[in-house]
Amino acid sequence: MPPRHLADLSADERRVAVTELGEKPFRAKQLAHHYFGRLTADVESMTDIPAASRARLAEKLLPPLLTPVRHLDTDKGATRKTLWRAHDGTLLESVLMRYPDRATVCISSQAGCGMACPFCATGQGGLQRNLSTAEIVDQVRSAAAMMRDGEIPGGPGRLSNVVFMGMGEPLANYRRVIDAVHRICDPVPNGLGLSQRSVTVSTVGLVPAIRKLTEEGLQVTLAVSLHTPDDELRDTLVPVNNRWKVSEVLQAARGYAERTGRRVSIEYALIRDVNDQPWRADLLGRKLHQHLGQYAHVNLIPLNPTPGSEWDASPKPVEREFVRRVREAGVPCTVRDTRGQEIAAACGQLAAEG
Ligand code: SAH
């Protein structure tokens, strides 16, 4: 794991840490204001802190965490993928997507992933390590700074949304992800001040962790990567299904929905001749209606083919029929746009090439 960083710590912990370094407790708030409010980790710019203290505080609380290796832009600059190198050489990626009405950053919670879904590029390489809370938060801080500084065409703007849909299974790095959500959503200067409702945590369906999340009292959007309504196929598409079945996952999702009053986003990568049959659309609609009632929303993702895989996206007419049938069952269903395909920044493509 990386050295301890300001963004790993709560406000109380930051005060303790600063005091232990022989500094006045209020320095913690100054540092937090620079990092979370001004979105900078550059100590030289923190001129309200005396130079000697600055050096000491920077060394112990603002160690460099993520260095950009390169940026790749596409969609006329509205989509930017960044490849980051961590202190130990670990590579990870995040993707910033600007839309007319919002800007979303897709962030990684782990380097690699241990869930081994066969259609996902990240899943093929296995898990390298968990990211620290600060490594997660710093991806968001950088995206917020890029937006503010007008680095994405369209002039200066504001980062509005965060999705944990980059590399990794967020609920397999539970504590650090929850702490990161607090840092991302707590008001400045304690955090970056985004709304919890505009943060989405996406999971393969780790049932005990979904139940735990339900008890956190958060308002984040839960996304469940279902990909098929039947256990037989899901056992192969999402191997963790061998441990927690579709009905258990949907029941846990319902618990989350009822507690928070939030609709759950059901992710479904549509794969040609694999999970796109009309009968599966009907079964999906029925099961979601039965388990989640009004709380379900289906997000279809045209499969983004990974190198070396024979799988492909479904033809558009098949996709349209699938949407129609799910909606007919009374479940809202939309097709996600596919940003960043040319730069391998689309879903499941974030396997850093080095
Ligand atoms: N591990 C978490 C979050 C990361 S992936 C999860 O599985 O939910 C975010 C979404 O992209 C998931 O729904 C995942 O199944 C989907 N995905 C992965 N590879 C994909 C691909 N090649 N094409 C389309 N969607 C993909």
Side-chain angles (χ1 to χ4, degrees):
M1 292 306 269
R4 182 177 73 164
H5 184 281
L6 189 76
D8 288 313
L9 308 177
S10 67
D12 287 345
E13 291 166 341
R14 290 196 291 268
R15 261 191 306 278
V16 171
V18 162
T19 315
E20 277 171 6
L21 293 172
E23 296 287 341
K24 294 274 188 321
F26 71 87
R27 298 274 178 232
K29 202 163 191 172
Q30 285 179 311
L31 282 178
H33 176 74
H34 288 293
Y35 183 84
F36 294 110
R38 288 183 54 232
L39 306 175
T40 183
D42 169 25
V43 279
E44 293 314 313
S45 74
M46 303 180 185
T47 47
D48 54 348
I49 303 175
S53 303
R54 234 155 49 203
R56 187 161 48 233
L57 289 167
E59 190 200 332
K60 295 293 183 193
L61 286 173
L62 290 167
L65 287 182
L66 302 180
T67 313
V69 179
R70 62 168 167 266
H71 299 293
L72 285 171
D73 292 339
T74 186
D75 302 322
K76 299 201 173 83
T79 301
R80 166 179 277 197
K81 174 171 90 164
T82 305
L83 174 65
W84 303 99
R85 182 180 288 113
H87 80 293
D88 58 354
T90 299
L91 296 172
L92 58 123
E93 297 186 334
S94 59
V95 185
L96 175 56
M97 293 158 284
R98 185 173 196 167
Y99 302 88
D101 60 332
R102 66 187 193 282
T104 300
V105 67
C106 176
I107 59 170
S108 298
S109 56
Q110 300 182 310
C113 185
M115 297 299 126
C117 303
F119 56 88
C120 173
T122 312
Q124 307 320 298
L127 176 66
Q128 291 152 50
R129 70 166 168 85
N130 283 323
L131 300 186
S132 70
T133 296
E135 285 173 324
I136 297 169
V137 175
D138 210 46
Q139 296 169 60
V140 182
R141 180 193 60 87
S142 297
M146 285 180 206
M147 282 302 296
R148 180 201 57 195
D149 297 340
E151 287 182 32
I152 307 295
R158 197 178 64 84
L159 179 74
S160 55
N161 295 71
V162 174
V163 295
F164 281 85
M165 293 190 182
M167 305 169 91
E169 165 52 42
L171 296 188
N173 188 14
Y174 187 84
R175 197 61 248 165
R176 296 183 192 92
V177 164
I178 299 299
D179 288 348
V181 168
H182 285 292
R183 295 302 110 70
I184 291 165
C185 298
D186 285 355
V188 176
N190 284 331
L192 295 166
L194 275 79
S195 136
Q196 286 185 8
R197 288 167 176 248
S198 49
V199 172
T200 299
V201 175
S202 181
T203 178
V204 288
L206 305 183
V207 166
I210 295 175
R211 295 214 186 94
K212 217 158 120 190
L213 180 67
T214 305
E215 302 303 321
E216 297 283 348
L218 294 171
Q219 279 288 311
V220 296
T221 301
L222 176 69
V224 173
S225 297
L226 199 66
H227 302 315
T228 188
D230 57 300
D231 285 315
E232 194 183 348
L233 178 59
R234 196 166 191 269
D235 282 348
T236 66
L237 288 183
V238 186
V240 79
N241 197 69
N242 290 283
R243 180 73 180 78
W244 294 289
K245 297 296 171 194
V246 169
S247 61
E248 293 174 85
V249 173
L250 294 181
Q251 227 167 321
R254 185 183 181 101
Y256 186 81
E258 283 180 340
R259 176 67 62 91
T260 57
R262 316 257 316 130
R263 280 204 308 199
V264 175
S265 181
I266 302 295
E267 309 294 299
Y268 200 110
L270 209 56
I271 315 174
R272 178 182 207 146
D273 298 332
V274 172
N275 65 353
D276 63 355
Q277 301 81 359
W279 71 265
R280 276 209 163 85
D282 294 341
L283 184 62
L284 177 68
R286 267 206 312 281
K287 280 208 181 171
L288 291 182
H289 203 265
Q290 172 198 342
H291 286 281
L292 281 165
Q294 296 312 302
Y295 289 121
H297 177 274
V298 173
N299 199 1
L300 284 186
I301 318 167
L303 183 84
N304 190 35
T306 56
S309 157
E310 68 233 49
W311 286 343
D312 207 346
S314 302
K316 284 293 158 193
V318 173
E319 180 185 289
R320 275 196 292 275
E321 177 64 6
F322 199 94
V323 171
R324 194 188 68 73
R325 284 175 183 258
V326 173
R327 287 184 182 157
E328 205 168 68
V331 178
C333 179
T334 47
V335 180
R336 184 189 295 170
D337 78 336
T338 43
R339 281 279 186 109
Q341 287 199 320
E342 314 75 46
I343 55 169
C347 298
Q349 294 270 297
L350 299 187
E353 284 143 28

